[in-house]
Amino acid sequence: MDEKKIPAGSHLPDLHVNLENKKKDWEAGQYGRTLFEQTGECVFIIGLDLRYLTANRQALLLLGYSEVELTGMNVSNVMSMGDLFEDQASVYERILKKKDGSLIPVEISTSIVSDEQGLPIYIQSIVRDVSERKAAEKLLRRNGRILSVISEATARLFRSPNIESGISEVLESLGNVMELFSCVIFEVEKYSGLPQIKLRYSWVEYKLSSFDPQAAIEPFINKLVANPNAVLSELEAGQVKKTPFSFLAIPVQGLFGSKGFLGMFDRENSLSWLLTDFDVVQTATNLIGAALQRIQYEETIRSNEFRNRMIVDSFPDLLIRIKSDGSILDYITSSNHPLFIHRDMITGKKLRETWPAETVARILGGENKSAFTAPCWLEGFQLPFSSGIYESRLHPINPQEALIIIRDISDIVRLNEMKTDFINRASHELRTPLTAVILMSDLIQQGGTQEEMVEYWRIMRNELNRQKKYIDNLLMAGRLESGMMKLESVPLDLLPVLREALQAVGPIAFRKNVKLTLNTPQNNINILGDSGALQQVFINLINNAVKFSPEESGVQVFVGLTDGLVNVEIIDHGMGISPDAIPHLFEKFYRAKNVTVAEIPGSGIGLYIVKSVVEELGGKIEVKSEVNAGTTFTVRLRAAV
């Protein structure tokens, strides 16, 4: 028998008649029956009337029919015909309907079998079950689609300037492509004693917006804690609008400080997609974990940058990172530094282009001409565009790079000058009374008239009192600075305190012919304060006003009430204070230059004591002055209710 494959569309009109004539020969002679039964393929023999003549055992098992049931059945009852006999291909795909009604995809190879004379006698159809291949292809397409969607969403995520806001979009993409109704990223925190679920990111299908993922996860918290690195899958985990759902939790790498998971909720009551899709799910989990790690890294970087910036902004010094050729690599300081220049304006320039070349050479040091080999410390230099006094410390980082720290030491220099001036003045203030006392004691020993002896004793007493007052001021300043002096604010009448202060300064004012005047709106002014401390405050202020007033002038003391405060103004018409000295007037040991030039004696701690006492009592002190036009000190004290 000669078997040839020819297109079914080319059959002659009498092909059906010829095939019917050969049917009896097939049934009687079992033509090729042995090969027919032993082949591993599913073989169908079809007549030209498109009815089954017979089929081998594998074919019958595939469809679930017996040979008797199948014989004579129309092919269209089993196979989707489509363009079966118009297809020019020898192998094509069709869907077969089994006896139980289920459908199965197959691959069919059809050929016409001819007799020895070359006449067609029947159709032979070889069928291969491709359901597994189709399922694999479907899974492959599905996984490819899932990976494509996740990859695209993740790519957008990493391109986004705000990664954190895009995590929910990735979860939504994952949920939609895998036909889930909720995807979440959650943590299990154990720091507060009992483990707690904390949702970091969440997506829930809009139709189920009432679904609470956190509440759905909480029943499994103990299992998650017990096996934090294992995948947790739960069947029929709960109900969503009376529909069973399943839950899957996969550990996520990238959540620092706690255990993180990707949680997924499926509508089915079994995780039918778990085994086939787990690799894809794990890939999505890894991508999300990478995104979360990047968020953590960026947050750490931002935190470090913010912390470093805060440190730099609070750092009082100027930091210059410089190359050995003098080029500025970085210029860092706070915006209120006197040498502040925006780094964008100075980076890349030579330091000697901004500062004097001679000063730069001293800052870099003679040993660092071509390479940085040794540290260098320069103290006490000035720059033409700044009034401050600076020191620099150069620290080599490597032979080509160094860090220079520029520190403003103006206050330190001024303090050292004040200390030196104080020591000189203190020595003078303490030695002058002693010299006078020794002289007076010698004169007393030598004797003299009654009037002379009285004068000698008076001078000795005045000088000793002067020395005692100076020492008392020093002791009080020390107690105030150490915090050992505690003042009590009690209700008292201020006017007697002021009158006693005026009376104490009266003899000094009398000798200079300076008139003292007290102006008050009423007879009683009640304040909260300490009588002894306030008396020393006003004695000091009135005494200074008299000391700096010209002869035959006046000093006025005005008392007034404003907004619950008692204001005491001490006004003189003396030499005044220069504007540059006023900010330093209440500093310890400070004395204005015009006072020093005029050689007016003083310790430089009186106003420091005044300010300290007034502020200790909850008050304020202010000063207004004009050179050669006088000065006004205003003390504001709390009024007693």
Side-chain angles (χ1 to χ4, degrees), residues 107-152:
E107 185 178 83
I108 298 177
S109 174
T110 302
S111 60
I112 300 297
V113 179
S114 303
D115 60 11
E116 294 176 354
Q117 287 75 33
L119 296 175
I121 56 175
Y122 58 84
I123 303 170
Q124 179 178 280
S125 179
I126 299 176
V127 175
R128 297 178 183 85
D129 183 359
V130 294
S131 56
E132 291 186 3
R133 191 191 75 188
K134 288 294 183 180
E137 290 176 353
K138 181 180 179 181
L139 176 61
L140 185 61
R141 287 194 299 271
R142 184 171 187 266
N143 289 352
R145 187 171 67 256
I146 294 172
L147 284 177
S148 176
V149 171
I150 296 301
S151 298
E152 182 180 351

Short mmCIF file of all heavy atoms in Angstrom, two decimals, residues 107-152:
data_model
loop_
_atom_site.label_atom_id
_atom_site.label_comp_id
_atom_site.label_asym_id
_atom_site.label_seq_id
_atom_site.Cartn_x
_atom_site.Cartn_y
_atom_site.Cartn_z
N GLU A 107 -2.18 18.67 18.45
CA GLU A 107 -1.50 18.98 17.20
C GLU A 107 -1.80 17.81 16.24
O GLU A 107 -1.58 16.65 16.58
CB GLU A 107 0.00 19.12 17.46
CG GLU A 107 0.79 19.55 16.25
CD GLU A 107 2.26 19.71 16.60
OE1 GLU A 107 2.98 18.67 16.60
OE2 GLU A 107 2.67 20.83 16.90
N ILE A 108 -2.31 18.12 15.03
CA ILE A 108 -2.79 17.09 14.11
C ILE A 108 -1.97 17.09 12.83
O ILE A 108 -1.69 18.16 12.25
CB ILE A 108 -4.27 17.31 13.76
CG1 ILE A 108 -5.12 17.20 15.04
CG2 ILE A 108 -4.76 16.32 12.72
CD1 ILE A 108 -6.60 17.48 14.80
N SER A 109 -1.60 15.88 12.43
CA SER A 109 -0.95 15.68 11.13
C SER A 109 -1.88 14.77 10.30
O SER A 109 -2.13 13.62 10.68
CB SER A 109 0.43 15.04 11.31
OG SER A 109 0.99 14.73 10.05
N THR A 110 -2.40 15.30 9.21
CA THR A 110 -3.38 14.56 8.40
C THR A 110 -2.79 14.21 7.03
O THR A 110 -2.09 15.04 6.42
CB THR A 110 -4.64 15.41 8.20
OG1 THR A 110 -5.18 15.73 9.48
CG2 THR A 110 -5.70 14.65 7.41
N SER A 111 -3.10 12.98 6.58
CA SER A 111 -2.62 12.55 5.26
C SER A 111 -3.65 11.64 4.60
O SER A 111 -4.48 11.01 5.27
CB SER A 111 -1.28 11.82 5.38
OG SER A 111 -1.41 10.66 6.19
N ILE A 112 -3.61 11.60 3.28
CA ILE A 112 -4.49 10.74 2.50
C ILE A 112 -3.75 9.43 2.20
O ILE A 112 -2.60 9.45 1.73
CB ILE A 112 -4.91 11.41 1.18
CG1 ILE A 112 -5.64 12.72 1.47
CG2 ILE A 112 -5.79 10.47 0.36
CD1 ILE A 112 -6.92 12.56 2.23
N VAL A 113 -4.40 8.29 2.48
CA VAL A 113 -3.80 6.98 2.22
C VAL A 113 -4.40 6.45 0.90
O VAL A 113 -5.63 6.41 0.72
CB VAL A 113 -4.07 6.00 3.37
CG1 VAL A 113 -3.46 4.64 3.05
CG2 VAL A 113 -3.52 6.57 4.67
N SER A 114 -3.51 6.09 -0.01
CA SER A 114 -3.93 5.62 -1.34
C SER A 114 -3.64 4.12 -1.49
O SER A 114 -2.77 3.56 -0.80
CB SER A 114 -3.20 6.40 -2.44
OG SER A 114 -3.44 7.79 -2.29
N ASP A 115 -4.33 3.48 -2.43
CA ASP A 115 -4.09 2.06 -2.67
C ASP A 115 -2.96 1.90 -3.67
O ASP A 115 -2.31 2.89 -4.05
CB ASP A 115 -5.38 1.38 -3.17
CG ASP A 115 -5.88 2.01 -4.48
OD1 ASP A 115 -5.11 2.79 -5.08
OD2 ASP A 115 -7.03 1.73 -4.86
N GLU A 116 -2.78 0.63 -4.15
CA GLU A 116 -1.66 0.37 -5.04
C GLU A 116 -1.82 1.06 -6.38
O GLU A 116 -0.84 1.35 -7.07
CB GLU A 116 -1.54 -1.15 -5.26
CG GLU A 116 -1.17 -1.89 -3.99
CD GLU A 116 -1.15 -3.40 -4.20
OE1 GLU A 116 -1.55 -3.84 -5.30
OE2 GLU A 116 -0.73 -4.11 -3.27
N GLN A 117 -3.04 1.38 -6.72
CA GLN A 117 -3.25 2.09 -7.98
C GLN A 117 -3.20 3.61 -7.80
O GLN A 117 -3.41 4.36 -8.75
CB GLN A 117 -4.63 1.71 -8.57
CG GLN A 117 -4.70 0.32 -9.14
CD GLN A 117 -4.76 -0.74 -8.06
OE1 GLN A 117 -5.34 -0.49 -7.01
NE2 GLN A 117 -4.16 -1.92 -8.33
N GLY A 118 -2.93 4.05 -6.54
CA GLY A 118 -2.80 5.49 -6.29
C GLY A 118 -4.11 6.17 -6.04
O GLY A 118 -4.18 7.41 -6.02
N LEU A 119 -5.17 5.38 -5.80
CA LEU A 119 -6.46 5.99 -5.52
C LEU A 119 -6.65 6.17 -4.01
O LEU A 119 -6.36 5.26 -3.22
CB LEU A 119 -7.57 5.11 -6.09
CG LEU A 119 -7.58 4.94 -7.61
CD1 LEU A 119 -8.66 3.96 -8.02
CD2 LEU A 119 -7.77 6.28 -8.28
N PRO A 120 -7.11 7.35 -3.56
CA PRO A 120 -7.34 7.59 -2.11
C PRO A 120 -8.39 6.64 -1.56
O PRO A 120 -9.44 6.42 -2.22
CB PRO A 120 -7.83 9.03 -2.07
CG PRO A 120 -7.44 9.64 -3.37
CD PRO A 120 -7.44 8.53 -4.38
N ILE A 121 -8.11 6.05 -0.38
CA ILE A 121 -9.07 5.13 0.21
C ILE A 121 -9.55 5.59 1.60
O ILE A 121 -10.65 5.26 2.03
CB ILE A 121 -8.48 3.71 0.28
CG1 ILE A 121 -7.17 3.70 1.05
CG2 ILE A 121 -8.30 3.14 -1.11
CD1 ILE A 121 -6.61 2.30 1.24
N TYR A 122 -8.72 6.32 2.34
CA TYR A 122 -9.16 6.87 3.64
C TYR A 122 -8.18 7.97 4.07
O TYR A 122 -7.12 8.17 3.46
CB TYR A 122 -9.27 5.77 4.71
CG TYR A 122 -8.00 5.00 4.96
CD1 TYR A 122 -7.03 5.50 5.85
CD2 TYR A 122 -7.79 3.76 4.35
CE1 TYR A 122 -5.88 4.77 6.07
CE2 TYR A 122 -6.64 3.04 4.57
CZ TYR A 122 -5.67 3.56 5.45
OH TYR A 122 -4.52 2.87 5.69
N ILE A 123 -8.54 8.65 5.17
CA ILE A 123 -7.71 9.72 5.78
C ILE A 123 -7.11 9.20 7.07
O ILE A 123 -7.82 8.63 7.91
CB ILE A 123 -8.54 10.98 6.07
CG1 ILE A 123 -9.22 11.50 4.80
CG2 ILE A 123 -7.69 12.07 6.70
CD1 ILE A 123 -10.24 12.59 5.06
N GLN A 124 -5.81 9.37 7.19
CA GLN A 124 -5.12 9.01 8.44
C GLN A 124 -4.76 10.29 9.20
O GLN A 124 -4.11 11.17 8.66
CB GLN A 124 -3.87 8.19 8.14
CG GLN A 124 -3.10 7.81 9.41
CD GLN A 124 -1.88 6.97 9.08
OE1 GLN A 124 -1.99 5.77 8.85
NE2 GLN A 124 -0.73 7.61 9.02
N SER A 125 -5.19 10.38 10.45
CA SER A 125 -4.94 11.57 11.27
C SER A 125 -4.15 11.17 12.52
O SER A 125 -4.61 10.34 13.31
CB SER A 125 -6.27 12.22 11.67
OG SER A 125 -6.04 13.34 12.48
N ILE A 126 -2.96 11.69 12.61
CA ILE A 126 -2.11 11.43 13.78
C ILE A 126 -2.23 12.63 14.73
O ILE A 126 -1.98 13.78 14.35
CB ILE A 126 -0.65 11.22 13.37
CG1 ILE A 126 -0.54 10.00 12.44
CG2 ILE A 126 0.23 11.03 14.59
CD1 ILE A 126 0.85 9.77 11.89
N VAL A 127 -2.63 12.36 15.98
CA VAL A 127 -2.93 13.42 16.96
C VAL A 127 -1.95 13.34 18.13
O VAL A 127 -1.69 12.25 18.65
CB VAL A 127 -4.38 13.29 17.47
CG1 VAL A 127 -4.65 14.32 18.56
CG2 VAL A 127 -5.36 13.46 16.32
N ARG A 128 -1.42 14.49 18.50
CA ARG A 128 -0.52 14.57 19.66
C ARG A 128 -1.14 15.52 20.69
O ARG A 128 -1.53 16.65 20.36
CB ARG A 128 0.86 15.07 19.25
CG ARG A 128 1.57 14.14 18.28
CD ARG A 128 2.93 14.72 17.88
NE ARG A 128 3.59 13.86 16.90
CZ ARG A 128 3.39 13.91 15.59
NH1 ARG A 128 2.52 14.80 15.10
NH2 ARG A 128 4.02 13.09 14.77
N ASP A 129 -1.21 15.09 21.95
CA ASP A 129 -1.74 15.92 23.05
C ASP A 129 -0.71 17.01 23.40
O ASP A 129 0.42 16.71 23.78
CB ASP A 129 -2.01 15.03 24.27
CG ASP A 129 -2.63 15.81 25.43
OD1 ASP A 129 -2.83 17.04 25.29
OD2 ASP A 129 -2.90 15.19 26.48
N VAL A 130 -1.10 18.25 23.21
CA VAL A 130 -0.18 19.36 23.49
C VAL A 130 -0.70 20.21 24.65
O VAL A 130 -0.34 21.39 24.80
CB VAL A 130 0.01 20.25 22.23
CG1 VAL A 130 0.73 19.49 21.14
CG2 VAL A 130 -1.33 20.80 21.75
N SER A 131 -1.55 19.65 25.52
CA SER A 131 -2.12 20.42 26.63
C SER A 131 -1.04 20.88 27.61
O SER A 131 -1.07 22.01 28.09
CB SER A 131 -3.18 19.60 27.36
OG SER A 131 -2.64 18.36 27.80
N GLU A 132 -0.07 19.97 27.89
CA GLU A 132 0.99 20.37 28.81
C GLU A 132 1.84 21.48 28.20
O GLU A 132 2.23 22.44 28.88
CB GLU A 132 1.85 19.16 29.16
CG GLU A 132 1.13 18.13 30.01
CD GLU A 132 2.06 17.02 30.44
OE1 GLU A 132 3.28 17.11 30.11
OE2 GLU A 132 1.59 16.07 31.11
N ARG A 133 2.13 21.33 26.90
CA ARG A 133 2.92 22.38 26.25
C ARG A 133 2.17 23.70 26.24
O ARG A 133 2.74 24.76 26.47
CB ARG A 133 3.26 21.95 24.83
CG ARG A 133 4.30 22.84 24.15
CD ARG A 133 4.39 22.53 22.68
NE ARG A 133 3.23 23.08 21.97
CZ ARG A 133 2.96 22.83 20.70
NH1 ARG A 133 3.72 21.99 20.01
NH2 ARG A 133 1.91 23.37 20.12
N LYS A 134 0.85 23.61 25.95
CA LYS A 134 0.04 24.82 25.93
C LYS A 134 -0.01 25.47 27.32
O LYS A 134 0.06 26.69 27.45
CB LYS A 134 -1.39 24.50 25.47
CG LYS A 134 -1.50 24.18 23.99
CD LYS A 134 -1.16 25.42 23.17
CE LYS A 134 -1.35 25.17 21.69
NZ LYS A 134 -1.03 26.36 20.89
N ALA A 135 -0.13 24.61 28.35
CA ALA A 135 -0.15 25.15 29.72
C ALA A 135 1.17 25.83 30.04
O ALA A 135 1.22 26.90 30.66
CB ALA A 135 -0.45 24.03 30.72
N ALA A 136 2.27 25.16 29.59
CA ALA A 136 3.59 25.75 29.84
C ALA A 136 3.75 27.07 29.08
O ALA A 136 4.31 28.04 29.60
CB ALA A 136 4.68 24.77 29.44
N GLU A 137 3.26 27.09 27.82
CA GLU A 137 3.35 28.32 27.05
C GLU A 137 2.51 29.43 27.67
O GLU A 137 2.92 30.59 27.73
CB GLU A 137 2.88 28.05 25.61
CG GLU A 137 3.83 27.20 24.80
CD GLU A 137 3.28 26.88 23.42
OE1 GLU A 137 2.09 27.22 23.16
OE2 GLU A 137 4.01 26.29 22.60
N LYS A 138 1.31 29.03 28.15
CA LYS A 138 0.46 30.02 28.80
C LYS A 138 1.12 30.57 30.06
O LYS A 138 1.12 31.78 30.32
CB LYS A 138 -0.88 29.37 29.15
CG LYS A 138 -1.86 30.32 29.82
CD LYS A 138 -3.18 29.62 30.12
CE LYS A 138 -4.14 30.57 30.82
NZ LYS A 138 -5.43 29.89 31.17
N LEU A 139 1.71 29.64 30.84
CA LEU A 139 2.40 30.07 32.05
C LEU A 139 3.58 30.97 31.71
O LEU A 139 3.83 31.98 32.36
CB LEU A 139 2.87 28.84 32.84
CG LEU A 139 3.70 29.13 34.10
CD1 LEU A 139 2.89 29.94 35.10
CD2 LEU A 139 4.18 27.83 34.74
N LEU A 140 4.30 30.58 30.64
CA LEU A 140 5.45 31.37 30.23
C LEU A 140 5.02 32.77 29.80
O LEU A 140 5.65 33.77 30.17
CB LEU A 140 6.19 30.66 29.09
CG LEU A 140 7.50 31.30 28.63
CD1 LEU A 140 8.51 31.33 29.77
CD2 LEU A 140 8.07 30.54 27.44
N ARG A 141 3.93 32.82 29.03
CA ARG A 141 3.42 34.14 28.61
C ARG A 141 2.96 34.95 29.82
O ARG A 141 3.22 36.15 29.91
CB ARG A 141 2.27 33.96 27.62
CG ARG A 141 2.70 33.50 26.23
CD ARG A 141 1.57 33.67 25.23
NE ARG A 141 0.39 32.89 25.59
CZ ARG A 141 0.18 31.64 25.22
NH1 ARG A 141 1.07 31.00 24.47
NH2 ARG A 141 -0.93 31.00 25.58
N ARG A 142 2.28 34.26 30.73
CA ARG A 142 1.80 34.96 31.93
C ARG A 142 2.97 35.47 32.77
O ARG A 142 2.99 36.63 33.20
CB ARG A 142 0.94 34.01 32.76
CG ARG A 142 0.30 34.66 33.99
CD ARG A 142 -0.72 33.70 34.61
NE ARG A 142 -1.46 34.33 35.67
CZ ARG A 142 -1.14 34.26 36.96
NH1 ARG A 142 -0.07 33.56 37.31
NH2 ARG A 142 -1.87 34.86 37.89
N ASN A 143 3.95 34.60 32.98
CA ASN A 143 5.12 35.03 33.76
C ASN A 143 5.88 36.14 33.06
O ASN A 143 6.38 37.07 33.69
CB ASN A 143 6.04 33.84 34.02
CG ASN A 143 5.44 32.86 35.01
OD1 ASN A 143 4.40 33.13 35.61
ND2 ASN A 143 6.08 31.72 35.19
N GLY A 144 5.96 36.01 31.71
CA GLY A 144 6.62 37.07 30.96
C GLY A 144 5.88 38.39 31.09
O GLY A 144 6.49 39.46 31.23
N ARG A 145 4.54 38.30 31.05
CA ARG A 145 3.74 39.52 31.21
C ARG A 145 3.92 40.10 32.62
O ARG A 145 4.05 41.31 32.79
CB ARG A 145 2.26 39.20 30.95
CG ARG A 145 1.37 40.44 30.93
CD ARG A 145 -0.03 40.10 30.46
NE ARG A 145 -0.74 39.25 31.42
CZ ARG A 145 -0.96 37.95 31.28
NH1 ARG A 145 -0.53 37.33 30.19
NH2 ARG A 145 -1.62 37.26 32.19
N ILE A 146 3.93 39.20 33.61
CA ILE A 146 4.13 39.66 34.99
C ILE A 146 5.49 40.34 35.14
O ILE A 146 5.61 41.44 35.68
CB ILE A 146 4.01 38.49 35.98
CG1 ILE A 146 2.57 37.95 35.99
CG2 ILE A 146 4.42 38.91 37.38
CD1 ILE A 146 2.40 36.68 36.78
N LEU A 147 6.53 39.66 34.63
CA LEU A 147 7.87 40.24 34.74
C LEU A 147 7.96 41.55 33.98
O LEU A 147 8.63 42.50 34.42
CB LEU A 147 8.91 39.24 34.22
CG LEU A 147 9.24 38.06 35.14
CD1 LEU A 147 10.23 37.13 34.45
CD2 LEU A 147 9.83 38.57 36.45
N SER A 148 7.31 41.61 32.82
CA SER A 148 7.33 42.83 32.03
C SER A 148 6.70 43.99 32.80
O SER A 148 7.24 45.09 32.87
CB SER A 148 6.62 42.61 30.70
OG SER A 148 6.55 43.82 29.96
N VAL A 149 5.53 43.70 33.39
CA VAL A 149 4.83 44.75 34.14
C VAL A 149 5.65 45.18 35.35
O VAL A 149 5.82 46.37 35.63
CB VAL A 149 3.43 44.25 34.57
CG1 VAL A 149 2.79 45.23 35.54
CG2 VAL A 149 2.55 44.06 33.35
N ILE A 150 6.16 44.18 36.10
CA ILE A 150 6.95 44.50 37.29
C ILE A 150 8.23 45.24 36.92
O ILE A 150 8.63 46.21 37.57
CB ILE A 150 7.28 43.22 38.08
CG1 ILE A 150 5.98 42.59 38.61
CG2 ILE A 150 8.22 43.52 39.23
CD1 ILE A 150 5.19 43.49 39.51
N SER A 151 8.89 44.78 35.85
CA SER A 151 10.13 45.44 35.43
C SER A 151 9.88 46.89 35.03
O SER A 151 10.63 47.79 35.38
CB SER A 151 10.77 44.67 34.27
OG SER A 151 11.11 43.37 34.66
N GLU A 152 8.78 47.09 34.27
CA GLU A 152 8.46 48.45 33.85
C GLU A 152 8.13 49.33 35.05
O GLU A 152 8.60 50.47 35.14
CB GLU A 152 7.27 48.42 32.89
CG GLU A 152 6.89 49.79 32.35
CD GLU A 152 5.71 49.74 31.40
OE1 GLU A 152 5.29 48.62 31.04
OE2 GLU A 152 5.21 50.81 31.04
#
